[in-house]
Amino acid sequence: MNASSLRHFDARAQSVHELVNAVAVPMAVHAGGPIIAANEAFCRLVSRSEEALGQLAFGDLLGEDDRDAIVEICRTCLDGLGLPPVTSGVLLTPDGGERPVEMHARPVNLGGTPAVVMTCVDQSDILHTQTSLIALSGMLRQIVDGAPLASFVMDHNHRITHWNTACERLTGLPRQKVLGSREAWRAFYDDERPLLADLIVDGVSEAAILAFYGDTAHPSKTVPGGFEVETFFPQFGPQGAEGAWLSFTAAPLRDAEGQIIGAIETLQDVSVRRQSEEELLNHRNDLEELVKQRSAELASTARELERFVSSSPVGVAYSSAGKIQRVNAAMAEMFGYSQEAMTGMSGRKIYLSEEDFASLGQLAGRQLSMGEPLQHEMWLRHADGRAIWVQIDAHVADREDTAQGTWWMMRDRTEIRTAQEQLEARFEELRAINGRLEEAQNQLLQQDKMASIGQLAAGVAHEINNPIGFVSSNLNSLRQYVDGLLSLSTAYEAALAAPGDPLVAAALAAKREEVEIEYLREDLPQLLDECGDGLGRVKKIVQDLKDFSRVDQANWQEADLNVGLESTLNVVRHEVKYKAEVIKELASLPPVICLAAQLNQVFMNLIVNAAHAIPDQGTITLSSGTQSKWAWVQVEDTGCGMSEAVQRRVFEPFYTTKDVGKGTGLGLSLSFSIVQKHGGAIRVRSEPGKGTAFRVWLPIAGPESLATGEIPPTWKDVVTT
């Protein structure tokens, strides 16, 4: 194209540009090269300015899949080969976006230059709508098919278009045998007959539907034009002869103009529900019958309760709002009123004082307001003004509404109260008597102790006199020895005063010979040792007497029973040593909480009795040990033994087998009391001619550690210590 042609072409292009901008649809013009003109609609479609489009060929705007075909269409127009068909393609935007369009290519002549006018119709909205409709149709199909409720769809020709999976399971009829057919009735009936959906599609009247199904059909409350039916199918589905109850709903499907184009029917097996309803109906009938029976029983019980309350020996009353609403005969008689007079009476009238009324009101208000029963005893007023002691039991009539009223049950316990007061007075008297008895027992215990000490005094004196005797004899010898030594000392002093005097020296030698100084050197230490030994024996006897009496330990405290046994043995040794050999089999004992002085007296009585039971010579065995929480001490002799009759009475006060004047009969009785005070036990084993054994059991932790009724272990022959 020469310069003149280009100027002519540019002028034409300007006219074309104005013409193109006047068109509302997207339009572009090109002559096989860059785009000559493009209107605003086309610029918006491809997201480019007109200046930018002037630098591009139309093919540059096309997707690769469409480019060759559309370029060929444009070539057909430029070559004048006819009008090409409408075609579809994709225009590209600068950001890589795609715009589906329908393109129309038409040839034009621009001042002798062939060109192509391209008009585009944006297909984005149309394709989006089509895609959405297809997706919606697929989704609806999935919803219908996947719904748990059995359903099928029928078109206006009564052909089945949908038969979902739930419908297959319910009817047992696969969809392949139903879709496209008019034989859905086979799933429900033996003979051909219209389904509810058929009647809906045919548009029959409501009266016709109700006449067809009877009172089992009724219009749907939720779907306009729909109907619901619930009926029994004797030969339905996989249940066979058992049959099933089905509830089905059919509703019309309409087009945009409201014309019926089909129907959808949903089905549900309600056999379980119908069975439950039938069972519920039967249960309700049974329940109504049971209620009638229970009502009759309750009425009978109420009458019996009324008779019971009326004739009850216990006073019964019902109060509300501070007034007595009803009372039985026993309550009225208890307070000295008639039933009529007491009914409606203020509750304050039966109290001795306002303070008593307020006190019980406060107590009852706290208990009864929480729905808890009240038990109480107090003095109330009889009609004649005297006080009666009343036992009160009260509870609210309704725990949910405690203000409704209160039931009261009362018993006149005046005689019992009086007897109780007398019993308490008698108890105090007995306590005082018991105190005096305990004091008397302590006096007896002290007397027995003093009597025992009196009996032992001669023996103890003998034990002390022996060492005192030879200490005294030794002291006389020591006095003579000292006198001789003193005279010898005087002779030495004279010799020292006259060292050369032969007469003084001769007198000193004579004095030495008279004193027998060499003999004194040998005998004097022996005398001193003998004196020291004798005084040690006296000290030991005195200490044992002190340990025996425990005068410094009169309270409950820990003590070693073995030590007490040893001390007691030393005190009574004079009573024992001429009668028996003492064998000790003492185990290690833990400290025992006790009254040590009293236990020592028990040990003394047992050891002395054992010695007295041996006629000539025998053996006394002292042993001890522990078992569980108990400690024990045993005194066994080889004496004369006791018969069963004596064993049964041995612990009785004043009972003794000794001759008159030789025993008080209190030793074992007091020993029994002492051991019992300690929570322990003293037991005896004996056989005539074979000796006797006494065993004392004591709780190691004291009597306070024992549970109620707890006793020592059984006395076995073999005991683990």
Side-chain angles (χ1 to χ4, degrees), residues 7-19:
R7 286 194 298 272
H8 183 70
F9 182 78
D10 289 340
R12 288 288 185 180
Q14 182 62 32
S15 298
V16 170
H17 176 74
E18 294 174 357
L19 180 64

Side-chain angles (χ1 to χ4, degrees), residues 319-595:
S319 67
S320 178
K323 291 186 177 296
I324 300 172
Q325 304 297 331
R326 60 176 298 184
V327 294
N328 67 349
M331 180 71 84
E333 182 181 357
M334 183 191 310
F335 287 95
Y337 296 95
S338 66
Q339 288 181 260
E340 294 75 14
M342 203 167 183
T343 302
M345 188 173 71
S346 172
R348 293 175 180 264
K349 195 170 182 180
I350 66 172
Y351 293 90
L352 292 177
S353 65
E354 287 295 324
E355 290 75 12
D356 288 348
F357 174 76
S359 176
L360 182 64
Q362 183 178 8
L363 176 62
R366 183 171 60 252
Q367 294 288 108
L368 299 178
S369 63
M370 296 186 294
E372 297 179 359
L374 170 69
Q375 290 87 33
H376 189 60
E377 291 187 4
M378 65 183 301
W379 291 104
L380 294 177
R381 184 191 301 278
H382 190 269
D384 59 11
R386 61 186 172 87
I388 58 174
W389 183 259
V390 178
Q391 177 184 329
I392 302 172
D393 293 277
H395 61 85
V396 293
D398 185 354
R399 289 190 176 185
E400 303 299 325
D401 183 9
T402 56
Q404 189 179 70
T406 305
W407 283 99
W408 304 83
M409 290 177 289
M410 299 185 182
R411 297 177 179 85
D412 186 351
R413 291 290 186 262
T414 306
E415 293 182 359
I416 296 176
R417 174 72 175 183
T418 303
Q420 183 179 4
E421 290 176 348
Q422 293 174 353
L423 183 62
E424 290 176 356
R426 182 59 178 162
F427 178 75
E428 290 299 324
E429 292 177 5
L430 290 175
R431 178 181 291 178
I433 293 172
N434 185 60
R436 291 196 294 272
L437 286 174
E438 185 174 354
E439 183 179 354
Q441 184 185 28
N442 291 334
Q443 291 176 356
L444 281 175
L445 182 63
Q446 186 64 23
Q447 290 174 5
D448 181 70
K449 187 172 184 179
M450 296 304 296
S452 299
I453 292 175
Q455 293 175 5
L456 298 174
V460 171
H462 179 75
E463 291 295 318
I464 293 177
N465 283 336
N466 279 341
I468 290 297
F470 68 75
V471 168
S472 177
S473 175
N474 287 347
L475 285 176
N476 289 329
S477 298
L478 284 173
R479 181 178 295 277
Q480 294 175 8
Y481 292 165
V482 169
D483 289 343
L485 289 174
L486 289 176
S487 63
L488 180 62
S489 175
T490 302
Y492 271 110
E493 290 177 355
L496 289 175
D501 190 343
L503 293 176
V504 174
L508 176 61
K511 181 56 71 177
R512 281 178 56 88
E513 205 170 298
E514 180 186 347
V515 172
E516 297 180 340
I517 190 64
E518 298 300 330
Y519 174 75
L520 290 182
R521 285 176 177 168
E522 294 179 3
D523 194 40
L524 187 59
Q526 294 179 8
L527 288 178
L528 292 174
D529 289 343
E530 288 176 0
C531 289
D533 182 62
L535 292 176
R537 289 171 59 187
V538 171
K539 180 180 179 181
K540 180 67 168 59
I541 293 172
V542 173
Q543 183 62 44
D544 287 336
L545 282 171
K546 181 180 178 182
D547 291 341
F548 168 76
S549 62
R550 291 294 182 113
V551 294
D552 57 341
Q553 297 181 13
N555 297 324
W556 290 87
Q557 55 186 274
E558 292 183 343
D560 188 336
L561 299 184
N562 287 336
V563 172
L565 193 62
E566 292 272 12
S567 298
T568 304
L569 178 62
N570 288 334
V571 171
V572 301
R573 183 174 298 278
H574 189 74
E575 293 286 328
V576 175
K577 66 181 180 179
Y578 299 112
K579 300 292 292 290
E581 176 189 1
V582 178
I583 300 174
K584 300 177 185 177
E585 297 177 352
L586 304 179
S588 178
L589 298 180
V592 176
I593 296 178
C594 62
L595 296 171

Side-chain angles (χ1 to χ4, degrees), residues 4 11 51 82 117 199 215 277 286 330 433 444 477 561 567 575 587 642 646 657:
S4 177
E51 290 77 9
V117 176
L199 300 179
D215 58 2
E277 290 177 349
D286 294 341
I433 293 172
L444 281 175
S477 298
L561 299 184
S567 298
E575 293 286 328
M642 292 182 286
V646 173
T657 59

Side-chain angles (χ1 to χ4, degrees), residues 34-53:
I35 294 174
I36 299 171
N39 64 0
E40 291 183 5
F42 188 83
C43 291
R44 287 195 302 272
L45 181 64
V46 296
S47 301
R48 289 177 174 86
S49 65
E50 188 175 0
E51 290 77 9
L53 290 173

